[in-house]
């Protein structure tokens, strides 16, 4: 049996039926990571010992006929900005090179309770700032589909691990597109659920008002199942949504879905923006698939979307500058040896080990919160954010779902973003407005251009993950059947 070819749902079933053991599954995946045939560099830290020991315990459970969790036997990668007890959590930064958290993030506890096997910690852009994983102190992650190209970011390692057979599922974080963009670049399904539906307790914040944990899978069913497990109210997270348990309560992944009567809108603004011609073509074909599945599709105006990027970069850097103040050389991570007083201790610890992008954002964000600039930029952006949110609210009065390409560009060559010739800020323009409004969105593979993957983004109304997943299932089926 080719273990690497099995879906997450199949692995669990075969484990329950005693056709394979958790140890076989885990060792198969660990071998792939250790060989790392294409030098993907998808992991910063591997937890071989932890994974093997979890697998053995699980096999005991199977042997003793105990009830198995929903993630039983599934090898999972975790973005390295999520706290894991006793296992290094670096955030892709030199600053946290040796930091070992004394506690587990709530979502890690959930994965363990559900018998998932955590393989290790996935590479990411430093503190989740970036779109290519090139700002990681631990080196770039390669795209398993085209190894000279980036895997996307900031959750590039999480995406590459699932696409490159080094995990069956993985967890990422998405502040402006960091799950959906790498998922699209690696031909995967990526889901960023509604703000507050997966606990962020123990997740290192970048821009809290937009940060959201999301999931990666090789198909919609796997990703939706994983999402269902992780969406859970958590009293330790003040932004956690109380009724999370109700969102996917009636989800039936085996139901035949069509889109009859579903109203889908395409924001005209999205169509006007610069976008790769091949991606546009795949998107138009995707629209035809949705139509043939029964959806009713119209264009609509959402005039404030245009300001999404500017608004995001003001708010996210302002929040990041404040969040990163906790890395002061005293409480966590690196402490300089070169200081005479407290100010120097702070300054030198940070200067010595923060990378360029982190410094750029801290500097810019601090400026935006200082003196008169605060009113001019920060407060103004909060107002613009409200207008963008209202654009979506109007849209969802008329439409069930909205669609766009996930990214305006195909996976690009390693190096062109970090040397400044490619603007990383442009690549998230379709995904950013979703975070500003706190909405759920999914990316589903929508065909290739010159061998490189593209994705269609489906956006839902608050807490309507159900419609999102149904549409994604239908679309994925439509593509497979060549509708
Ligand atoms: N690429 C975006 C940025 O650099 C998004 C990052 C993210 O979602 N964490 O800000």
């Amino acid at each position: 049996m080719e273990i690497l070819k099995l879906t997450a749902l199949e692995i669990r079933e075969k484990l329950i039926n005693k056709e394979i053991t958790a140890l076989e599954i885990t060792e198969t995946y660990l071998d792939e990571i250790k060989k790392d045939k294409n030098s993907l560099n998808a992991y910063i830290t591997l937890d071989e010992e932890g994974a093997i020991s979890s697998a053995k315990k699980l096999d005991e459970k199977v042997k003793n006929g105990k009830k198995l969790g929903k993630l039983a036997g599934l090898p999972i990668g975790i973005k390295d900005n999520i706290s894991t007890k006793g296992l290094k959590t670096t955030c892709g930064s030199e600053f946290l090179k040796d930091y070992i958290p004394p506690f587990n993030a709530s979502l890690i506890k959930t994965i363990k309770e559900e018998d998932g096997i955590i393989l290790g910690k996935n590479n990411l852009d430093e503190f989740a700032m970036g779109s290519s994983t090139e700002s990681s102190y631990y080196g770039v992650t390669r795209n398993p589909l085209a190894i000279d190209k980036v895997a996307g970011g900031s959750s590039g390692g999480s995406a590459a691990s699932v696409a490159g057979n080094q995990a069956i599922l993985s967890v990422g974080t998405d502040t402006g597109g960091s799950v959906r963009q790498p998922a699209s670049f690696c031909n995967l399904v990526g889901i960023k659920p509604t703000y507050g539906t997966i606990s962020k307790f123990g997740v290192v914040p970048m821009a809290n008002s937009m940060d959201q944990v999301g999931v990666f899978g090789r198909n919609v069913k796997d990703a939706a199942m994983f999402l269902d497990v992780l969406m859970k109210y958590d009293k330790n997270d003040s932004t956690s949504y109380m009724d999370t348990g109700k969102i996917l309560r009636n989800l039936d992944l085996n139901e035949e879905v069509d889109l009859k009567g579903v109203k889908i809108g395409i924001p005209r603004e999205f169509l006007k923006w610069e976008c790769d011609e091949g991606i546009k073509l795949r998107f138009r074909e995707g629209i035809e698939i949705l139509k043939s599945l029964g959806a009713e599709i119209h264009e609509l105006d959402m005039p404030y979307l245009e300001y999404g990027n500017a608004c995001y970069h003001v708010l996210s850097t302002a929040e990041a500058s404040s969040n990163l103040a906790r890395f002061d050389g005293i409480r966590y991570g690196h402490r300089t040896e070169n200081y005479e007083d407290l100010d120097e201790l702070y300054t030198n610890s940070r200067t010595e080990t923060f990378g360029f992008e982190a410094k750029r954002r801290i500097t810019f964000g601090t400026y935006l919160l200082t003196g008169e600039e605060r009113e001019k930029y920060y407060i103004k952006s909060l107002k613009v954010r409200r207008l963008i949110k209202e654009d979506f609210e109007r849209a969802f009065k008329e439409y069930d779902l909205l669609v766009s390409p996930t990214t305006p560009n195909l996976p690009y060559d390693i190096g062109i973003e970090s040397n400044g010739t490619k603007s990383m800020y442009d690549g998230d323009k379709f995904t950013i407005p979703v975070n500003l409004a706190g909405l759920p969105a999914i990316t589903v593979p929508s065909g290739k251009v010159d061998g490189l993957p593209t994705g269609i983004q489906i956006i839902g109304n608050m807490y309507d993950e159900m419609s999102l997943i149904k549409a994604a299932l239908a679309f994925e089926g439509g593509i497979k059947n060549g509708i």
Side-chain angles (χ1 to χ4, degrees):
M1 182 190 337
E2 264 263 53
I3 289 183
L4 295 172
K5 292 231 168 82
L6 300 175
T7 67
L9 295 172
E10 287 166 350
I11 291 180
R12 185 171 177 275
E13 200 181 292
K14 292 203 184 300
L15 181 79
I16 292 174
N17 296 339
K18 303 199 172 119
E19 290 172 56
I20 39 174
T21 65
L23 192 59
E24 279 167 346
I25 304 162
T26 306
E27 282 179 339
T28 305
Y29 271 90
L30 284 172
D31 276 354
E32 287 299 305
I33 302 173
K34 286 191 285 182
K35 276 190 268 164
D36 197 17
K37 289 190 287 272
N38 293 320
S39 307
L40 299 181
N41 194 28
Y43 286 84
I44 294 174
T45 307
L46 191 60
D47 187 16
E48 199 174 347
E49 219 180 286
I52 299 270
S53 129
S54 309
K56 284 186 177 157
K57 275 190 209 141
L58 184 56
D59 283 332
E60 276 301 303
K61 253 179 142 176
V62 177
K63 214 170 94 195
N64 298 331
K66 295 238 171 76
K67 190 171 180 290
L68 302 185
K70 296 187 190 120
L71 302 175
L74 304 183
I76 297 172
I78 305 287
K79 189 175 182 179
D80 203 22
N81 58 352
I82 299 174
S83 302
T84 39
K85 188 173 175 178
L87 188 63
K88 255 194 327 191
T89 298
T90 69
C91 292
S93 179
E94 186 184 3
F95 191 95
L96 294 174
K97 182 157 69 55
D98 302 311
Y99 171 62
I100 299 179
F103 72 111
N104 273 326
S106 297
L107 77 91
I108 299 292
K109 280 196 197 148
T110 304
I111 291 175
K112 288 180 180 264
E113 278 159 20
E114 295 292 349
D115 294 325
I117 311 272
I118 293 177
L119 298 178
K121 307 298 292 290
N122 291 127
N123 200 6
L124 71 158
D125 280 295
E126 186 176 12
F127 295 111
M129 297 169 174
S131 305
S132 63
T133 320
E134 286 174 290
S135 73
S136 168
Y137 172 70
Y138 304 89
V140 68
T141 292
R142 293 177 177 275
N143 191 321
L145 284 89
I147 55 164
D148 294 330
K149 312 267 180 204
V150 300
S154 62
S155 315
S158 303
S161 61
V162 175
N165 281 337
Q166 299 186 3
I168 188 69
L169 297 168
S170 66
V171 182
T173 57
D174 188 314
T175 307
S178 280
V179 165
R180 288 159 288 161
Q181 185 256 24
S184 171
F185 275 16
C186 293
N187 212 30
L188 297 173
V189 173
I191 313 178
K192 173 238 172 270
T194 309
Y195 184 76
T197 53
I198 296 179
S199 170
K200 285 190 293 185
F201 179 71
V203 179
V204 181
M206 172 186 156
N208 335 37
S209 78
M210 288 166 269
D211 291 343
Q212 176 60 48
V213 174
V215 296
F216 293 88
R218 291 185 205 149
N219 58 60
V220 178
K221 281 188 187 178
D222 281 6
M225 176 280 292
F226 195 24
L227 179 73
D228 188 25
V229 173
L230 295 186
M231 288 210 304
K232 206 168 153 186
Y233 171 69
D234 180 13
K235 65 175 180 354
N236 288 325
D237 174 356
S238 62
T239 64
S240 184
Y241 177 60
M242 296 276 228
D243 282 335
T244 305
K246 292 187 188 151
I247 296 179
L248 291 177
R249 189 177 284 166
N250 299 316
L251 181 68
D252 176 0
L253 291 172
N254 294 316
E255 190 188 344
E256 279 288 316
V257 266
D258 63 41
L259 298 176
K260 284 200 187 77
V262 176
K263 288 181 79 180
I264 298 182
I266 314 175
R268 244 175 233 122
E269 288 65 25
F270 282 163
L271 298 173
K272 286 185 215 147
W273 294 347
E274 213 180 289
C275 181
D276 178 273
E277 286 305 320
I279 293 183
K280 278 192 196 164
L281 183 66
R282 292 289 165 266
F283 180 65
R284 283 197 292 272
E285 289 167 1
I287 296 299
E288 291 311 311
I289 292 179
L290 292 169
K291 277 187 189 158
S292 64
L293 289 161
E296 220 182 281
I297 305 192
H298 300 285
E299 291 180 15
L300 76 158
D301 288 315
M302 294 181 63
Y304 292 103
L305 288 183
E306 192 187 329
Y307 305 103
N309 250 18
C311 177
Y312 167 83
H313 281 285
V314 170
L315 296 177
S316 68
T317 47
E319 290 185 30
S321 73
S322 157
N323 276 322
L324 267 65
R326 76 193 65 209
F327 302 113
D328 54 8
I330 292 177
R331 287 172 289 184
Y332 324 78
H334 176 70
R335 179 177 300 173
T336 183
E337 288 179 355
N338 170 25
Y339 67 96
E340 307 253 306
D341 57 26
L342 188 61
D343 273 346
E344 263 185 31
L345 167 62
Y346 293 150
T347 310
N348 294 348
S349 299
R350 291 159 71 83
T351 305
E352 284 166 13
T353 50
F354 277 167
F356 176 77
E357 189 59 27
K359 284 178 182 159
R360 168 156 70 178
R361 294 201 193 196
I362 292 169
T363 312
F364 184 47
T366 306
Y367 169 77
L368 294 168
L369 290 174
T370 310
E372 286 172 14
E373 313 310 322
R374 189 182 145 83
E375 193 65 39
K376 259 197 328 224
Y377 298 110
Y378 179 70
I379 303 291
K380 180 111 176 222
S381 296
L382 286 176
K383 292 177 183 164
V384 175
R385 181 181 192 171
R386 159 61 46 195
L387 294 171
I388 293 172
K389 172 103 180 122
E390 285 170 3
D391 255 358
F392 278 110
E393 282 166 7
R394 267 191 300 276
F396 285 117
K397 285 211 174 97
E398 221 168 304
Y399 295 94
D400 302 302
L401 298 164
L402 302 173
V403 286
S404 77
T406 305
T407 64
N409 39 31
L410 296 164
Y412 39 88
D413 289 345
I414 289 172
I416 63 168
E417 186 181 291
S418 48
N419 74 16
T421 46
K422 174 162 194 335
S423 162
M424 85 165 78
Y425 299 132
D426 202 41
D428 299 313
K429 60 191 176 191
F430 296 125
T431 48
I432 274 175
V434 172
N435 298 72
L436 287 168
L439 300 167
I442 188 168
T443 177
V444 187
S446 57
K448 292 189 178 158
V449 176
D450 300 330
L452 297 172
T454 70
I456 186 168
Q457 172 176 240
I458 311 175
I459 306 168
N461 203 352
M462 298 288 281
Y463 310 115
D464 192 12
E465 273 76 358
M466 198 72 160
S467 302
L468 207 67
I469 288 166
K470 282 191 175 166
L473 279 170
F475 180 80
E476 184 184 56
I479 284 237
K480 261 195 213 124
N481 298 332
I483 295 184

